[in-house]
Amino acid sequence: MIALRGIRDKGQVQPGQKVLINGAGGSSGTFAIQLAEPYGAEVTGVDNKGKLDFLRSLGVDHVIDYTREDFTKNVKQYDLILDVIAHRSVFAYQRAVKPNGTYFVVGGSVATLFQILLLGPWIKRTTSKNMRVLVVPQNRKDLIAITELCEAGKIVPVIDRRYQLSEVPEALRYVGEGHAKGKVVITVT
Ligand SMILES: NC(=O)c1ccc[n+]([C@@H]2O[C@H](COP(=O)([O-])OP(=O)(O)OC[C@H]3O[C@@H](n4cnc5c(N)ncnc54)[C@H](OP(=O)(O)O)[C@@H]3O)[C@@H](O)[C@H]2O)c1
């Protein structure tokens, strides 16, 4: 639902637009890639080195290894950034946004979220860059939309591993080690 709202409903991605997904190899990111590609967007995925081939296999056009490169410091700018793991300052992120472009943060450090809430409106007035916290309420309509996209084969939930409820510590350890691609599922029987 983060992906649906960030890429399609609020992001309103258009063909040819440059889209960057920060934290692209995680659970929301893998959906966001699949939603952005059919719109003809040029997608850049940011995640750790071990996930870059995986991101390419999902169809991203460009990859950035966050352990080696800070996308806010290269000269490239994007029409839309969807950030699930923000931790830099709002000024760093706004450098990577094109004029009239949009930066949506859905998760990350509390400090960054507050900065964006407080300074986003001022940045919009002074630079025409849209810096916003994307709130994603859960609702039936979006769940149905996602289900239909999955059933039609237009998006595929990426499930890395499945664990039993009794294996939750192991599942959390796996996620914490930074290897999980897409979702890790706990099966409750
Ligand atoms: N706004 C709302 O209404 C709303 C609603 C629900 C949830 N949320 C938030 O939305 C976020 C959802 O994220 P998710 O479920 O997709 O997370 P996730 O599955 O944990 O994926 C995050 C990805 O980001 C990568 N990553 C870690 N540090 C990074 C960095 N510095 N730069 C780039 N990538 C990095 C992780 O890789 P590693 O393996 O290297 O760590 C992982 O692949 C959560 O923060 C959640 O709290 C927001």
Side-chain angles (χ1 to χ4, degrees):
M1 289 161 88
I2 287 171
L4 195 67
R5 194 160 276 240
I7 297 294
R8 194 190 71 175
D9 299 344
K10 297 283 182 187
Q12 299 189 338
V13 170
Q14 305 293 321
Q17 284 194 329
K18 289 184 170 33
V19 175
L20 180 140
I21 300 161
N22 194 34
S27 44
S28 310
T30 47
F31 279 106
I33 292 166
Q34 295 180 70
L35 283 169
E37 286 291 340
Y39 286 100
E42 186 180 322
V43 180
T44 299
V46 184
D47 215 301
N48 74 49
K49 187 179 171 203
K51 297 184 191 174
L52 302 187
D53 283 341
F54 163 67
L55 294 182
R56 289 188 191 98
S57 76
L58 289 176
V60 300
D61 302 287
H62 312 284
V63 290
I64 294 175
D65 171 6
Y66 74 78
T67 64
R68 287 171 167 262
E69 187 180 340
D70 175 353
F71 76 87
T72 67
K73 287 192 177 153
N74 69 30
V75 291
K76 288 195 185 134
Q77 291 188 317
Y78 300 88
D79 298 285
L80 174 67
I81 296 177
L82 180 64
D83 195 346
V84 304
I85 189 112
H87 59 281
R88 296 193 169 82
S89 83
V90 64
F91 299 108
Y93 290 120
Q94 69 95 17
R95 274 200 305 268
V97 179
K98 285 186 184 178
N100 297 314
T102 300
Y103 170 89
F104 283 140
V105 58
V106 293
S109 80
V110 173
T112 302
L113 291 170
F114 267 120
Q115 273 192 9
I116 289 166
L117 277 173
L118 288 174
L119 298 175
W122 174 74
I123 291 175
K124 167 84 176 159
R125 274 200 302 280
T126 53
T127 67
S128 77
K129 297 177 184 183
N130 204 12
M131 308 291 295
R132 291 177 52 189
V133 175
L134 184 71
V135 178
V136 185
Q138 313 287 300
N139 66 68
R140 182 179 160 82
K141 185 172 134 281
D142 284 356
L143 268 181
I144 290 171
I146 289 280
T147 306
E148 285 173 355
L149 286 167
C150 291
E151 283 173 350
K154 292 186 176 161
I155 55 173
V156 178
V158 180
I159 298 173
D160 185 338
R161 289 189 183 179
R162 291 177 170 81
Y163 290 88
Q164 296 301 313
L165 188 57
S166 59
E167 298 172 315
V168 163
E170 199 182 320
L172 287 175
R173 204 170 303 121
Y174 180 64
V175 172
E177 282 166 359
H179 304 309
K181 300 181 179 87
K183 291 192 179 287
V184 170
V185 172
I186 308 298
T187 306
V188 183
T189 51

